[in-house]
């Protein structure tokens, strides 16, 4: 996937908001490439993410690198956890939406389907796209929508009724 220069610059600004969390240059690069791969592949599958990321695609074990980052194995010097990432997104959204005269809040409750997954912690039963019951999680999100293109994630919580702290 090739982005025009203006779009690439916007992407770099977007990813740079997470620089304080990455800790070192290798993690910063991997994080940026993983986000690029998610956007390009429209998938959360590690092998697809790796194929759509120009830098990761050149690596023999690119999908393994994506998985190690996602599981936290390779991010020991960073703060790339769900709470820190959503805090950065929330701060960015608040800055973007500040001063809006009309602000619409959208409450989005959705299910994250992990059909076939068995080893992930706290999996619960959720409805699949075909109507059958599969394993997964639920999430609650609040999106802020302002005038024109102003929007942002104001709240996110992923949960499962099977977690001990539910």
């Amino acid at each position: 996937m090739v982005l025009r220069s203006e779009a690439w610059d916007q992407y770099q600004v977007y990813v740079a908001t997470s620089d304080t969390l990455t800790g070192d240059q290798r993690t910063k690069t991997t994080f940026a490439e993983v986000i690029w791969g998610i956007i390009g592949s429209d998938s959360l599958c590690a092998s697809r993410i790796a194929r759509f990321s120009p830098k990761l695609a050149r690596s023999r074990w690119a999908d393994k690198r994506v998985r190690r980052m996602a599981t936290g194995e390779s991010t020991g010097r960073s703060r790339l956890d769900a709470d820190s990432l959503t805090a950065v997104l929330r701060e960015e959204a608040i800055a973007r939406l500040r001063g809006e005269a009309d602000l619409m809040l959208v409450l989005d409750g959705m299910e994250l389907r992990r059909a076939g997954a068995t080893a992930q912690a706290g999996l619960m039963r959720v409805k699949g796209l075909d109507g059958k019951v599969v394993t997964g999680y639920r999430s609650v999100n609040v999106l802020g929508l302002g005038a024109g293109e102003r929007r942002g994630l104001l709240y996110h919580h992923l949960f499962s009724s099977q977690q001990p702290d539910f």
Side-chain angles (χ1 to χ4, degrees), residues 81-100:
D81 57 77
D83 291 337
S84 297
L85 285 169
T86 54
V88 167
L89 292 173
R90 186 173 46 253
E91 290 167 12
E92 180 71 19
I94 290 168
R96 208 177 276 161
L97 296 167
R98 183 168 283 131
E100 282 289 323

Side-chain angles (χ1 to χ4, degrees), residues 85-130:
L85 285 169
T86 54
V88 167
L89 292 173
R90 186 173 46 253
E91 290 167 12
E92 180 71 19
I94 290 168
R96 208 177 276 161
L97 296 167
R98 183 168 283 131
E100 282 289 323
D102 294 316
L103 181 63
M104 183 185 316
L105 301 178
V106 178
L107 176 63
D108 176 29
M110 61 184 221
E111 296 173 338
L112 177 65
R113 293 160 191 89
R114 303 294 300 157
T118 57
Q120 291 177 293
L123 286 167
M124 63 185 289
R125 308 298 281 167
V126 298
K127 190 180 243 184
L129 295 176
D130 60 1

Side-chain angles (χ1 to χ4, degrees), residues 4 21 28 36 47 70 78-79 97 106 123 133 138 144 146 158:
R4 296 186 342 249
L21 304 176
K28 177 181 174 181
W36 174 273
S47 58
S78 70
R79 295 183 302 128
L97 296 167
V106 178
L123 286 167
V133 176
R138 290 202 170 98
L158 183 70

